[in-house]
Amino acid sequence: MQLTRNMSKAMKATRRRENLSAYLFLTPALLFFAGFVIFPMGMCLVTSFFNYSMTDFSFIAFDNYVEMFSDPTFGKSLVNTIVIVVVSVPTVCLFSLWVASVIYKMNSFKTSFFRCVFYLPVVTGSVAVTVVWKWIFNNYYGLLNALCKTLGIITKNVNWLGDPAYALWCIIMILFTTSIGQPIVLYVSALGNVDHSLVEAAQVDGATNRQVFWKIKWPQIMPTTLYILIITTINSFQCFALIQLLTNGGPNYATSTIMYYIYYNAFKLNRYGYGSAMGVILAVIIALFSLAQFRLAKNDR
Amino acid sequence: MKKLLAILMAVMMMMSISSVMAEDNVEITLWTYPIGNWVDPETVDGIIANFNAVYPNIKVTVNYLDYTSGDDQVTGAIEARTTPDIIMEGPERLVTNWGAAGKMLPVNDLWTEEALADISAGSEAVVAACKGADGNYYEYPLCMTTHTMVIDRAAFEAAGALQYVDVETRTWTTEGFVNACRALTDAGYMTGVVYCGGQGGDQGTRALVNNLYSGRFTNAEHTAYTADSEENIQGLTLLQDMVNEGILMADPSIVAGDEIALFCNGTITMGFCWNASAAVSNKASMADGIDPLPMAFPSDDGVPELCGGIWGFGIFDNGDAARAEAAKNFIRFVCDDAQQGPASVYATGFFPVRASFGDVYAGTDKEANGEFMVFMPFLGDYYNVTGGWAVQRTEWWNLLQRVFGGGNVTEEVATYVANANASIK
């Protein structure tokens, strides 16, 4: 009895020590997370209730939120943001899955080569990427106009970034090229980890390629798909650098997004409180979208 | 014991000496926007070396800003309370923005009677621009210029459009401008582009619109924006008609920097954003056969009113009297010293605000800058000190985008004026 009691005490002490070590190891990361994520989020929420500028810091309750929902530019930016997300997320996921399903079967050299090619825009700085795209879309001597003219698609130059009919689609296209790298790498890895014995068993049972994909592979890569959906959604909602560097939200707010409008209010007009309120709403929208994706993916499994 | 005591005393003496030295040495920081060669570390280090020859105890550290992200860096620094001691820019930021927000120290003591008289002799507008609404000076100016436009003399000559330009006075009329654009288009040249992709170089498009029918951008008191005046509506309507006719272009995807590049590579034959510094900095990138001729903006009466640029120094209120005093010493040396003052102006590529400095380019490799002196009599009102300037700038290029996107000029300027004036506090 005594022996059991002593053993139990010793186990508890060991567990306590292990827990303590674990928390100590976690502490630096937790401090970093609290200081650079949790605290700014809390500050953002608090300042959203204030008229916070360079010269003022007064409590105004929900006035920033009321103003936001009657601000036509915010409305336009919200619509643009949702268009970007709705178009960009499915296309990025589908294209990445398609590319990955083609290249993961290749030999390791070819697979690595294609992974590098598609990952290149991700590791290239946003400024460098936008400079190249700006040249491609240039109204006067751009590559795209020259190509389209040569192919007889257009007869005179199109101002791709200056025409409200095309500008947002150009942004979505650039965002697409910079977003597919990581999903392709993740899908190649996930497809490579699919249990091959199940695939073979299904094939022996007479399953078609389509059935093998949807019944065997798709459920096994679902966690990866869920992760890709969420990170692509968040990245699309937070699309900012491309817009700031290429269009400044123009023409006539045709490419303005919530992130850009937050930046504009906070840094150009020094309306930190109003910018924070928009940040809170953006966080809520991203959370809702992510929740919906979690639910859908759960049902799918 | 005696040895120990001696060592202790020696240590204490060393500590007291080093603390006295530390008190005498002051470290200050300077942030500068790209004003001519004030973006070039070699030039700025040279100026600091000259300063340190007189003030060896003041160490100056420099951070170079650009116009794309500079404002964001300063805003971030203000909120994080890490602002520099000295900043070099124009009154629209130093006085109207940060000065009015109480972030700058008054620099009234730099404005001695002698300095005031000397600067006033050059331009009263400079003095007024550096003074805040509370009567304090928040900027001590170094240089000034007029913002002009530029045409390609060779293309104008080839198209028979040079007849509409007074090459001597560098002026032309609105009618001449329209005729020149038609002649250039007929000859197969692309004329100019009214850029409106952002606020970069927006002084050019403002001056273009205002001058066509002698409109004003603000009222005389700088308390309201007046883009909805009859003259400005006429000017915008004319530009809209010219764009529709195909003799002028408008582009919401470019800013002034892009337009200058188009001019330099020979794509277009006139640019609306030019000045003495741009002439020097773009000399190397100018394509063969292009002969840039700086011009005033066209006006109905042939008498233009050009936007001015004023650049100088302000001091952020960092709560440290010693650093503030060191910053003032630096500004005095850079702007007022009989030898360094003209050299500091020379580095900007612009013109001295002090009349006594005379022509700082005579006999130098920048002698060509002297041709911009012809525009000084056309220096107009420095309206950049009007409140709500930051909002106005965004509203302006958005107004141009709407107008050239087919919007009704009268309605669009009304929206612009309502939004811009609402931001004036």
Side-chain angles (χ1 to χ4, degrees):
Chain A
M1 189 69 180
Q2 182 64 30
L3 184 67
T4 316
R5 208 172 288 149
N6 285 345
M7 276 180 72
S8 167
K9 263 187 184 174
M11 278 174 71
K12 273 183 184 168
T14 309
R15 198 171 296 151
R16 251 200 318 270
R17 270 202 304 276
E18 281 176 353
N19 283 346
L20 188 66
S21 317
Y23 281 120
L24 281 173
F25 275 113
L26 280 172
T27 302
L30 281 174
L31 284 175
F32 191 84
F33 185 72
F36 291 95
V37 180
I38 303 294
F39 179 69
M41 278 173 77
M43 283 295 291
C44 182
L45 183 65
V46 171
T47 51
S48 72
F49 299 112
F50 284 80
N51 181 23
Y52 179 19
S53 69
M54 262 193 205
T55 52
D56 194 11
F57 189 75
S58 51
F59 184 71
I60 53 167
F62 290 96
D63 283 7
N64 281 328
Y65 292 92
V66 173
E67 182 185 342
M68 189 195 314
F69 288 110
S70 58
D71 179 349
T73 309
F74 176 77
K76 211 165 185 178
S77 305
L78 180 63
V79 171
N80 288 338
T81 308
I82 289 171
V83 168
I84 289 174
V85 172
V86 167
V87 176
S88 170
V89 174
T91 48
V92 165
C93 289
L94 288 173
F95 183 79
S96 307
L97 184 57
W98 175 65
V99 171
S101 63
V102 172
I103 65 173
Y104 94 102
K105 294 173 196 157
M106 295 175 174
N107 64 45
S108 61
F109 175 77
K110 283 182 183 168
T111 306
S112 298
F113 172 76
F114 282 111
R115 273 195 300 205
C116 282
V117 167
F118 285 108
Y119 207 72
L120 211 54
V122 182
V123 293
T124 311
S126 303
V127 176
V129 169
T130 47
V131 165
V132 173
W133 279 105
K134 201 168 185 176
W135 170 68
I136 291 171
F137 287 130
N138 191 287
N139 185 18
Y140 308 91
Y141 46 79
L143 186 69
L144 189 60
N145 274 330
L147 191 69
C148 290
K149 271 180 166 174
T150 309
L151 296 174
I153 299 168
I154 56 173
T155 50
K156 63 175 191 174
N157 284 359
V158 174
N159 194 352
W160 300 104
L161 292 171
D163 190 329
Y166 304 110
L168 189 63
W169 299 104
C170 292
I171 296 290
I172 290 172
M173 196 172 121
I174 303 170
L175 185 66
F176 175 82
T177 63
T178 56
S179 301
I180 54 173
Q182 199 180 10
I184 287 174
V185 169
L186 290 171
Y187 269 136
V188 166
S189 170
L191 286 166
N193 288 333
V194 167
D195 189 344
H196 204 64
S197 61
L198 292 177
V199 175
E200 281 174 351
Q203 282 167 340
V204 168
D205 289 343
T208 61
N209 281 344
R210 183 175 290 185
Q211 283 172 322
V212 166
F213 180 80
W214 287 114
K215 302 288 182 189
I216 309 293
K217 291 180 182 174
W218 180 247
Q220 290 192 57
I221 61 170
M222 183 49 83
T224 307
T225 303
L226 182 61
Y227 176 71
I228 288 169
L229 279 173
I230 288 169
I231 57 158
T232 313
T233 304
I234 293 171
N235 285 344
S236 304
F237 266 117
Q238 296 184 343
C239 178
F240 165 72
L242 295 177
I243 290 161
Q244 195 214 4
L245 294 165
L246 282 172
T247 62
N248 281 314
N252 199 15
Y253 301 109
T255 58
S256 179
T257 58
I258 299 181
M259 270 304 279
Y260 180 77
Y261 200 49
I262 289 173
Y263 158 80
Y264 169 70
N265 273 283
F267 282 90
K268 297 293 174 198
L269 306 184
N270 306 129
R271 297 191 65 195
Y272 313 121
Y274 191 47
S276 296
M278 282 188 269
V280 170
I281 293 298
L282 180 64
V284 169
I285 294 171
I286 292 175
L288 289 175
F289 263 76
S290 301
L291 191 70
Q293 285 168 343
F294 264 115
R295 285 277 161 86
L296 283 173
K298 207 175 168 186
N299 291 343
D300 220 14
R301 266 192 289 183
Chain B
M1 187 64 191
K2 278 182 185 170
K3 274 185 184 172
L4 187 66
L5 201 64
I7 290 168
L8 271 172
M9 283 179 71
V11 169
M12 282 170 71
M13 279 175 71
M14 289 289 285
M15 282 172 70
S16 63
I17 288 168
S18 63
S19 69
V20 167
M21 283 172 70
E23 275 171 22
D24 285 345
N25 288 329
V26 183
E27 282 192 33
I28 56 172
T29 48
L30 161 70
W31 285 12
T32 170
Y33 280 81
I35 300 151
N37 269 357
W38 277 79
V39 73
D40 170 37
E42 202 179 317
T43 305
V44 179
D45 287 349
I47 292 168
I48 292 169
N50 295 343
F51 172 69
N52 284 145
V54 183
Y55 295 95
N57 58 326
I58 302 175
K59 188 185 172 200
V60 185
T61 311
V62 190
N63 181 27
Y64 299 95
L65 305 174
D66 60 53
Y67 281 111
T68 307
S69 63
D71 288 354
D72 300 351
Q73 285 186 55
V74 177
T75 302
I78 288 171
E79 289 310 310
R81 295 189 174 87
T82 55
T83 44
D85 297 290
I86 310 171
I87 188 152
M88 183 185 192
E89 229 300 291
E92 57 271 29
R93 288 184 174 84
L94 270 57
V95 181
T96 314
N97 193 1
W98 306 319
K103 306 297 174 188
M104 311 293 292
L105 278 178
V107 289
N108 298 345
D109 45 346
L110 293 175
W111 286 83
T112 59
E113 277 183 30
E114 179 275 327
L116 183 60
D118 200 6
I119 296 168
S120 300
S123 168
E124 283 288 353
V126 173
V127 179
C130 294
K131 193 187 271 186
D134 60 358
N136 284 316
Y137 290 101
Y138 291 105
E139 172 155 354
Y140 192 66
L142 172 70
C143 61
M144 60 192 283
T145 194
T146 46
H147 293 296
T148 68
M149 59 178 288
V150 64
I151 63 168
D152 177 8
R153 190 206 303 245
F156 268 62
E157 206 154 21
L162 206 58
Q163 58 175 311
Y164 303 114
V165 171
D166 186 336
V167 177
E168 201 64 39
T169 62
R170 304 295 175 88
T171 59
W172 50 345
T173 62
T174 301
E175 192 185 353
F177 169 67
V178 177
N179 289 336
C181 286
R182 276 207 189 99
L184 285 160
T185 308
D186 290 345
Y189 288 102
M190 285 170 84
T191 55
V193 184
V194 184
Y195 48 87
C196 45
Q199 65 184 34
D202 53 0
Q203 75 276 358
T205 50
R206 290 197 306 267
L208 178 66
V209 172
N210 290 159
N211 273 288
L212 288 170
Y213 292 99
S214 301
R216 286 184 59 94
F217 196 69
T218 66
N219 61 9
E221 299 79 32
H222 302 145
T223 53
Y225 294 97
T226 54
D228 57 347
S229 71
E230 200 181 314
E231 298 83 7
N232 288 326
I233 290 174
Q234 244 182 310
L236 270 169
T237 307
L238 176 70
L239 293 175
Q240 193 185 43
D241 291 344
M242 289 173 77
V243 169
N244 291 340
E245 192 186 329
I247 59 172
L248 188 69
M249 286 163 292
D251 194 338
S253 71
I254 66 168
V255 292
D258 305 310
E259 196 225 27
I260 290 173
L262 290 172
F263 178 79
C264 293
N265 68 23
T267 306
I268 56 176
T269 50
M270 61 176 80
F272 300 118
C273 183
W274 203 251
N275 57 37
S277 182
V280 173
S281 58
N282 290 291
K283 205 171 177 180
S285 59
M286 200 68 69
D288 288 343
I290 294 167
D291 182 8
L293 182 73
M295 286 290 300
F297 287 89
S299 61
D300 53 349
D301 54 2
V303 184
E305 271 206 33
L306 301 181
C307 287
I310 300 168
W311 294 274
F313 298 93
I315 301 173
F316 273 105
D317 186 359
N318 287 326
D320 186 327
R323 277 163 59 192
E325 196 48 46
K328 284 178 186 170
N329 285 334
F330 179 82
I331 297 171
R332 271 190 208 104
F333 178 79
V334 168
C335 298
D336 295 347
D337 184 84
Q339 283 189 325
Q340 183 57 54
S344 304
V345 176
Y346 179 85
T348 65
F350 298 125
F351 304 100
V353 291
R354 277 178 168 270
S356 62
F357 284 178
D359 183 359
V360 299
Y361 300 107
T364 70
D365 58 346
K366 288 187 189 170
E367 201 154 17
N369 279 21
E371 77 168 319
F372 283 86
M373 291 295 279
V374 73
F375 298 109
M376 289 315 246
F378 303 127
L379 182 62
D381 177 33
Y382 196 81
Y383 54 71
N384 308 33
V385 289
T386 309
W389 186 251
V391 174
Q392 174 286 130
R393 290 191 81 181
T394 305
E395 289 295 329
W396 177 253
W397 56 266
N398 277 299
L399 161 71
L400 295 182
Q401 289 189 350
R402 294 195 300 271
V403 166
F404 295 116
N408 178 290
V409 173
T410 309
E411 286 171 15
E412 299 304 348
V413 292
T415 306
Y416 161 83
V417 165
N419 292 345
N421 283 343
S423 66
I424 298 175
K425 286 169 190 160

